[in-house]
Every structure is written in structure tokens, then in C-alpha cells.
């Protein structure tokens, strides 16, 4: 019996048939090797993020080696930028390692293909300024997002450069003062201005903030609802920050309360206190 089993023992060398038929894993590796890596793009994309304010929407990140440079000149950088001072910058470092292993995973095409069924918008960008990308890459991204039937939520702090004027129909100018808002609007931009927590709370009854130059900025619905302890709509629910929507509206832009990390994570406490104080003051009999 032992001799019988020995007669069926595997041969130490593969047979001619085994030599001509590669394993599935080997074939798969060869197929992946044959796919050229995508060209080096300035924007890395993910089909969704864990950001509860924006909702689960395709989101762009500026490539790590150029992201910091792209933010130079931004009024929020570096002290009050929630992206660079928070977890986002650490996530970008992890993304860089994963991108080196599989760059195809971080293309816009992959993000659009993997997006959730409920996604109505794409966001540019979670960290870094989108103007770090060359115009051809941005135009291709705008076209792909349009063809996917999505809106676009895009912001830039580099609106003051004339070379970026062509972005005005699709991108919102980020500002932090009434003066900067006036200059941006005079140049044809719609704006997203960050205002003081008290100013935001005192503007809640009107539903908008009016700058000293008379421009009207709609208050962010998400943050207004949060202060009113109501269900807060996500950016994906609202979509007002699509530049095309603002251009077609009676408003000149949108206003957010200051929400940088330099406030020690207590921004919502400050906002609630400011809102209560504003409402109490208005309700007192004259």
C-alpha cells in the first residue's frame, strides 16, 4: 500500500502543462503591471470622507508635497486653519503612503465610480488650495463632475490672483473681512466669508449677514440649525455653496462662523453662548 501512494507522489518539477498555464495570481499581477500608472496629478480624490458636516461626497485633497505651498497667502494659514492644525494633515500623510502603493485608487474616476448613491455634490478641496492643480486638470475635473450629474462645492483663498479669474463661475472666494469680500465681489466672485461667532449669532434672525458695504451673505444652514438644536442639513443636503447656485441667488455669498482650531475646540460653546446672549438682549422689553 505504501508503494501505491508513493507512485502517486507529486513530481518535484512542474509538468509541461503547469509551465504553460500560469496561476491566477501571477496572471493578475501581470495584468496590473501592464496598466500604466496615472500621470502625476495635483489632486487626490476619495469617493467619500468621514466629515459629518459635508456628508458622504467625493472629495479632493491637494497632493501632500505641494499642499502646504498652495496655502501660502491664505488668511487662515497657519494659525487658524482647521485642516492643517487638525486631523486632516495627519490623514494626508497616510494617504500619501497609500497612494504610493495604488495611485489608481486616488483618481477622480475612481472616486466618482465609488461614490455613494446619495452623493449630489463633489468637494474641492479638504486640504490645500485647488489652484495648485494646473488649469487642464481642473477643467477635466469640472467636466467629469458635470458629466456625473453632480454639483461642485469649491473654494479658493487665492482669488486675488488675476490668473485665477477664469475660475469665478465655478469656485467661491474665501475671505475673512468685509473689505476682502468687497474686493472679491467687485472682481466678479461670489464669496464665503468667515465672521465672528457673535456676529453670526446676531444675524440669525435675518438669516443673512450684511457687510458694511451692503453685501448680503446667507448664513450657513448647517451651523444655523446646529445652534437652533435642529437637525442640521449636510452640505450634500443643502448645496448652496455651489458657485452656480449663489450666482443665481439674491445673495453675494455665504457666511460661516469662525471655526479654527485656535479656539481650543470650544467654538460651538462660544456660538451657543453668543446666540443666547443675542436672543436674550433682543427679547428684553425696551
Amino acid at each position: 500500500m505504501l508503494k501505491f501512494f508513493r507512485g502517486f507522489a507529486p513530481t518535484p518539477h512542474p509538468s509541461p502543462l503547469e509551465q504553460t498555464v500560469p496561476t491566477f495570481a501571477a496572471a493578475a499581477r501581470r495584468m496590473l503591471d501592464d496598466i500604466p500608472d496615472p500621470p502625476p496629478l495635483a489632486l487626490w480624490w476619495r469617493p467619500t470622507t468621514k466629515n459629518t458636516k459635508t456628508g458622504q461626497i467625493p472629495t479632493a485633497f491637494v497632493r501632500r508635497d505641494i499642499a502646504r505651498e498652495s496655502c501660502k497667502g491664505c488668511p487662515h494659514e497657519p494659525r487658524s486653519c482647521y485642516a492643517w492644525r487638525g486631523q486632516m494633515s495627519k490623514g494626508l500623510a497616510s494617504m500619501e503612503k497609500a497612494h504610493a502603493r495604488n495611485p489608481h485608487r486616488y483618481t477622480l474616476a475612481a472616486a466618482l465610480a465609488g461614490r455613494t448613491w446619495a452623493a449630489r455634490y463633489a468637494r474641492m478641496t479638504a486640504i490645500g488650495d485647488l489652484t495648485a492643480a494646473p488649469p487642464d486638470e481642473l477643467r477635466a475635473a469640472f467636466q467629469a463632475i458635470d458629466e456625473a450629474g453632480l454639483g461642485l462645492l469649491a473654494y479658493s483663498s487665492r482669488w486675488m490672483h488675476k490668473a485665477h479669474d477664469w475660475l469665478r463661475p465655478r469656485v467661491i472666494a474665501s475671505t475673512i473681512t468685509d473689505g476682502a469680500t468687497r474686493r472679491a465681489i467687485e472682481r466678479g466672485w461670489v464669496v464665503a466669508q468667515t465672521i465672528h461667532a457673535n456676529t453670526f449669532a446676531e444675524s440669525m434672525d435675518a438669516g443673512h449677514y450684511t457687510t458694511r458695504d451692503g453685501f448680503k451673505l446667507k448664513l450657513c444652514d448647517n451651523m444655523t440649525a446646529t445652534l437652533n438644536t435642529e437637525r442640521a442639513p449636510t452640505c450634500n443636503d443643502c448645496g448652496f455653496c455651489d458657485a452656480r447656485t449663489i450666482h443665481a441667488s439674491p445673495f453675494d455669498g455665504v457666511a460661516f462662523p469662525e471655526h479654527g482650531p485656535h479656539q481650543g475646540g470650544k467654538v460651538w460653546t462660544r456660538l451657543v453662548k453668543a446666540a443666547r446672549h443675542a436672543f436674550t438682549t433682543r427679547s428684553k422689553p425696551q
Side-chain angles (χ1 to χ4, degrees):
M1 180 64 75
L2 182 59
K3 292 182 179 179
F4 174 83
F5 282 110
R6 283 178 178 173
F8 288 92
T11 58
H13 302 289
S15 67
L17 179 61
E18 291 174 324
Q19 290 178 351
T20 58
V21 181
T23 63
F24 175 80
R29 282 195 295 270
R30 276 201 292 272
M31 289 176 62
L32 291 176
D33 290 340
D34 292 338
I35 300 176
D37 288 341
L41 301 175
L43 302 179
W44 295 340
W45 287 87
R46 297 301 296 138
T48 185
T49 69
K50 296 180 181 179
N51 189 323
T52 56
K53 181 183 183 298
T54 61
Q56 296 183 342
I57 58 178
T59 301
F61 301 75
V62 176
R63 201 176 71 220
R64 187 169 183 243
D65 60 314
I66 60 175
R68 177 69 78 173
E69 183 70 22
S70 74
C71 291
K72 284 189 175 179
C74 174
H76 291 290
E77 203 279 333
R79 180 173 177 267
S80 62
C81 177
Y82 69 91
W84 284 112
R85 299 274 298 219
Q87 294 296 320
M88 191 65 67
S89 61
K90 297 179 182 178
L92 191 62
S94 299
M95 190 180 297
E96 182 180 37
K97 297 177 182 178
H99 180 273
R101 294 191 298 267
N102 184 6
H104 296 278
R105 183 185 178 192
Y106 293 93
T107 61
L108 175 56
L112 293 177
R115 70 186 188 272
T116 64
W117 64 268
R120 300 170 55 227
Y121 295 90
R123 180 188 178 205
M124 299 173 70
T125 57
I127 190 168
D129 198 282
L130 61 84
T131 56
D136 287 347
E137 182 178 344
L138 292 176
R139 290 190 181 96
F142 295 161
Q143 181 177 350
I145 291 168
D146 288 343
E147 290 175 352
L150 301 180
L152 177 65
L153 311 176
Y155 312 84
S156 175
S157 63
R158 306 182 78 179
W159 52 269
M160 67 290 296
H161 299 284
K162 191 174 182 180
H164 302 146
D165 283 352
W166 70 276
L167 294 168
R168 289 177 295 192
R170 304 303 306 271
V171 178
I172 301 174
S174 294
T175 64
I176 63 170
T177 66
D178 287 1
T181 291
R182 174 182 53 79
R183 291 190 294 273
I185 292 173
E186 288 175 348
R187 292 186 56 170
W189 294 85
V190 290
V191 301
Q193 181 177 339
T194 303
I195 60 178
H196 193 273
N198 292 339
T199 305
F200 188 93
E202 291 167 1
S203 303
M204 286 176 60
D205 280 351
H208 64 266
Y209 166 66
T210 303
T211 71
R212 62 172 178 261
D213 300 296
F215 298 111
K216 290 185 178 181
L217 310 180
K218 186 178 184 295
L219 300 187
C220 170
D221 284 345
N222 174 278
M223 296 184 175
T224 301
T226 301
L227 284 175
N228 286 332
T229 65
E230 301 170 354
R231 178 189 175 276
T234 65
C235 298
N236 191 48
D237 297 326
C238 173
F240 184 74
C241 286
D242 188 322
R244 289 176 170 175
T245 299
I246 300 179
H247 278 293
S249 78
F251 296 100
D252 300 296
V254 62
F256 298 100
E258 53 187 2
H259 50 285
H262 63 290
Q263 293 151 333
K266 298 181 180 179
V267 63
W268 292 114
T269 302
R270 289 181 57 193
L271 276 172
V272 171
K273 288 182 178 179
R276 287 177 177 173
H277 174 74
F279 295 148
T280 301
T281 302
R282 282 195 292 268
S283 63
K284 288 182 178 179
Q286 300 297 322

